Each structure stands twice: as structure tokens, then as C-alpha cells.
């Protein structure tokens, strides 16, 4: 039972974690647990802005680098990269109260399952963050796209619903697997954006980058159909129409977006994918948990996923220092891969 002001620990406070935790700190006692390189700059406060004209400064939070700061938490939000989930589970097991609710706000489709496996008997829910966050300055974080938080529907969520709703448009889902796969299909663009070396807005203005994303999505949709998984629309645009819409010529694409979804599908001119940020910072990316999930699904089905497998290869090369790939060259490469 949560009494008084909730105590929230954000484990893995990168850009998403800092933004989410920072907004929640207006109504809860929030501890951001992460790397000194991210948290040291927040000593004087945290500025949070968004595409909807939000502009607030928050200073009532605690920053920590030691997982022991999980002690006493009522709610633990896990926002580490997917490759760090097992380590996060070990830290939670060692330091967080047994009754604390744990919500995975991570990319991919398997992190909540891994947390449940490593934390038996503890309440673990899957969640989804649809929006992009960019770091505009050492202590300035900006939400560049729209959308609210989605969390698996459960009675365990009840004590925190009102709190989450005050800062975010909270949606509860009884089909979180479909939500996660829908988000994964959208997140296939993370690799395209990372390989492009340009902002999301500039990427979307170039048809061959959009067509590259469409190839990856089309392959993913076919695999999910074969696996009898029904993805849920993660953005205002229907997933099953996205490959066709993304493949339209530039002028027609711009018209369709303005007429059909322009008011709902907002992209800040400076926003870029988290995978692009990882490349800039010299960090490993989550490509194995996005494109790689489809490659593994294909293998389980006795099929192949050549487009997404090629994107894994290209992102790994970019992690090693390969330069950005122009739109025409990337689309030609992926088209060749799709033809075997």
C-alpha cells in the first residue's frame, strides 16, 4: 500500500528516464539512478520542454549512481538499454523492496519477461514510451514527438494511475504484446535514422529513407502475420498502411501527411532516434533488440528476414565507425537484400 507522496526510482536514467522521472518529480519523490555523465549536470535543476510548448524547470529530485538508491521505492521504472536488463534485475533484487511495482519502459518485446524471470514473485508490468526525447543541453531534455505512456493493465497499477496521468496521458492495455510489437515496427526506423546521419524530420523528407523503413516494416508485418501476432497501432497512422504511405513520392507523401495525420504525427525539427544518439556517443545500440527480434522470430518460423538482418549488419558497421549512408544508396542496398 502506498501512503503519502509516492517514492519512485528511475533505474537507468538516460534521456527517456530523466524526462519521465523529471515530470513525475513534481508530484512524487523521485530518484534518478544512472551514470555520472548524465546526472552530474542536473545539480542545478532540470529543464523539460516538449513539442506542445511545455517548458518547466524541476529541482525537487535526487540523483544517484549507486543502485542502493532503489531502497524504499514504491515504484521502479526500468529505462536501461535492453542489453542491460539482466543487470537491472540483479540490482532490483538486491536493493528494491519486494513489494515495489516494477514497470519496464524499454524498447523491444522481451524485457518485461526477462525481469519477471529474474525477479520471481515481484510485480512486473510491461510498458511503452511512444515519444522521442532529445538532450538539448546538459540539463535540458526535450520531447520531440507526441504520445502518452502505455502500461499493461493490472490491479497493481491502481495506486499510481492518477500520478502517471497528471504528467502523461496514461493508457492501460490488455494487449501489451500487440502494443510492444506495434512499437517495435515503428522503431525499425531507429536504424534508418541512425544510418542517415540526419534529423528525423530531414529523413522523412527523403523518399528513399522512407522506402527503406517501408521495406523493413513490410518484412516485419509478414513475419508477425505468420506468427499470428496482431500488432497494435503505436502512432496515429495505421501500421498496415505505413509502408505504402512511406513509399509515396515526396509531394504526395507531404500532402497525405498534412491532410490525414499532420496534426497528430508531430516531429520536432531537431529530433533524432535514440539509436542515432547512441552512435554519436560511441555506445552500443539496441539493434539486436529491434531488427534482431525479427531476425530471431523469422528463425523460429523457419523463415528469413534479409532486410532486417542487413540493417543489423549496417548498424554494427556504423558502431565501428562507418559513415552515414545516403538515402539512394541505403534503399538500393536493402532492395538487393530483399531479393536475396
Amino acid at each position: 500500500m502506498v501512503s503519502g507522496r509516492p517514492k519512485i526510482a528511475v533505474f537507468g536514467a538516460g534521456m527517456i528516464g530523466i524526462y519521465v522521472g523529471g515530470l513525475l518529480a513534481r508530484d512524487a519523490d523521485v530518484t534518478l539512478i544512472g551514470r555520472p555523465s548524465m546526472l552530474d549536470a542536473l545539480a542545478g535543476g532540470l529543464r523539460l520542454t516538449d513539442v506542445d510548448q511545455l517548458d518547466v524547470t524541476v529541482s525537487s529530485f535526487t540523483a544517484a549512481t549507486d543502485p542502493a538508491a532503489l531502497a524504499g521505492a514504491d515504484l521502479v521504472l526500468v529505462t536501461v538499454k535492453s542489453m542491460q536488463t539482466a543487470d537491472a534485475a540483479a540490482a532490483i533484487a538486491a536493493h528494491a523492496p519486494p513489494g515495489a511495482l516494477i514497470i519496464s519502459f524499454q524498447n523491444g518485446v522481451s524485457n518485461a519477461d526477462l525481469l519477471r524471470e529474474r525477479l520471481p514473485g515481484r510485480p512486473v508490468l510491461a510498458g511503452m514510451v511512444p515519444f522521442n526525447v532529445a538532450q538539448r543541453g546538459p540539463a535540458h531534455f526535450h520531447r520531440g514527438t507526441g504520445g502518452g505512456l502505455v502500461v499493461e493493465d493490472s490491479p497493481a497499477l491502481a495506486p499510481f494511475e492518477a500520478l502517471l496521468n497528471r504528467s502523461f496521458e496514461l493508457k492501460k492495455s490488455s494487449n501489451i504484446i500487440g502494443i510492444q510489437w506495434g512499437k517495435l515496427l515503428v522503431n525499425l526506423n531507429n536504424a534508418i535514422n541512425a544510418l542517415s546521419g540526419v534529423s528525423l524530420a530531414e529523413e522523412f523528407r527523403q523518399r528513399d529513407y522512407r522506402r527503406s523503413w517501408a521495406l523493413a516494416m513490410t518484412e516485419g508485418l509478414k513475419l508477425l502475420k505468420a506468427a499470428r501476432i496482431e500488432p497494435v497501432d503505436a502512432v496515429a497512422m495505421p501500421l498496415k498502411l505505413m509502408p505504402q504511405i512511406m513509399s509515396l513520392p515526396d509531394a504526395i507523401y507531404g500532402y497525405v501527411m498534412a491532410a490525414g495525420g499532420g496534426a497528430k504525427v508531430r516531429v520536432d525539427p531537431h529530433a533524432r532516434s535514440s539509436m542515432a544518439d547512441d552512435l554519436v556517443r560511441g555506445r552500443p545500440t539496441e539493434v539486436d533488440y529491434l531488427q534482431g527480434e525479427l531476425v530471431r522470430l523469422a528463425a523460429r518460423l523457419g523463415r528469413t528476414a534479409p532486410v532486417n538482418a542487413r540493417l543489423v549488419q549496417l548498424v554494427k558497421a556504423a558502431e565501428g565507425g562507418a559513415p552515414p549512408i545516403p538515402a539512394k544508396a541505403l534503399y538500393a542496398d536493402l532492395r538487393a537484400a530483399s531479393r536475396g
Side-chain angles (χ1 to χ4, degrees):
M1 178 67 67
V2 179
S3 59
R5 192 172 165 91
K7 295 179 175 60
I8 301 176
V10 180
F11 193 79
M15 285 183 283
I16 290 290
I18 288 173
Y19 187 88
V20 171
L23 284 185
L24 292 175
R26 298 177 297 178
D27 300 298
D29 293 337
V30 170
T31 299
L32 304 174
I33 305 171
R35 299 182 302 272
S37 59
M38 293 295 292
L39 299 180
D40 285 352
L42 309 184
L46 171 62
R47 183 184 177 194
L48 302 171
T49 59
D50 72 14
V51 71
D52 297 315
Q53 311 308 312
L54 174 79
D55 193 339
V56 299
T57 299
V58 181
S59 57
S60 57
F61 60 87
T62 300
T65 58
D66 189 336
L70 287 160
D74 301 306
L75 173 64
V76 178
L77 306 182
V78 181
T79 57
V80 299
K81 297 292 186 182
S82 296
M83 61 282 276
Q84 299 162 346
T85 302
D87 290 338
I92 292 168
H95 301 290
L101 175 62
I102 302 155
I103 302 178
S104 166
F105 281 128
Q106 300 167 270
N107 285 331
V109 298
S110 56
N111 288 300
D113 287 338
L114 180 56
L115 289 170
R116 292 187 186 104
E117 176 188 320
R118 299 296 179 95
L119 297 166
R122 293 181 182 243
V124 177
L125 301 180
M128 190 272 283
V129 178
F131 50 79
N132 165 279
V133 174
Q135 188 173 6
R136 291 283 187 84
H140 179 192
F141 294 80
H142 179 80
R143 175 174 65 82
T145 52
L149 299 178
V150 182
V151 180
E152 181 178 0
D153 195 5
S154 166
L157 185 62
F160 306 102
E161 282 186 43
L163 169 68
L164 293 170
N165 253 324
R166 279 196 288 274
S167 292
F168 302 94
E169 182 187 348
L170 176 67
K171 297 180 181 179
K172 298 183 293 182
S173 175
S174 59
N175 182 17
I176 197 66
I177 296 299
I179 291 280
Q180 289 179 314
W181 276 109
K183 175 70 184 307
L184 185 143
L185 290 175
V186 172
N187 277 349
L188 295 177
N189 184 61
N190 285 11
I192 308 300
N193 182 246
L195 294 169
S196 75
V198 301
S199 69
L200 285 164
E202 177 58 31
E203 175 207 334
F204 293 155
R205 283 193 285 267
Q206 300 187 50
R207 185 187 186 194
D208 281 343
Y209 282 139
R210 299 195 309 272
R211 291 203 288 182
S212 296
W213 184 15
L215 285 175
M217 283 194 72
T218 298
E219 186 174 85
L221 284 165
K222 289 179 179 177
L223 288 169
L224 292 183
K225 183 177 181 180
R228 297 184 180 179
I229 298 171
E230 186 66 31
V232 176
D233 295 340
V235 294
M237 192 184 304
L239 284 169
K240 292 180 180 179
L241 295 181
M242 283 183 70
Q244 294 93 325
I245 293 172
M246 290 297 158
S247 299
L248 292 170
D250 291 336
I252 300 175
Y253 167 78
Y255 174 80
V256 169
M257 290 300 293
K264 297 180 180 179
V265 184
R266 302 181 300 277
V267 179
D268 185 274
H270 303 288
R272 60 185 178 183
S273 73
S274 59
M275 195 175 293
D277 286 324
D278 286 336
L279 288 183
V280 169
R281 296 168 185 266
R283 297 174 184 158
T285 72
E286 291 185 290
V287 70
D288 286 330
Y289 299 89
L290 297 175
Q291 271 77 7
E293 287 283 6
L294 288 172
V295 173
R296 290 189 290 276
L297 176 61
R300 292 196 295 271
L301 295 170
R303 301 186 177 208
T304 60
V307 173
N308 285 285
R310 179 58 178 154
L311 282 166
V312 172
Q313 293 175 340
L314 292 173
V315 171
K316 296 289 187 183
E319 290 178 4
I325 305 174
K328 184 176 181 180
L330 180 60
Y331 180 60
D333 190 322
L334 297 180
R335 282 278 288 173
S338 71
R339 294 167 176 164

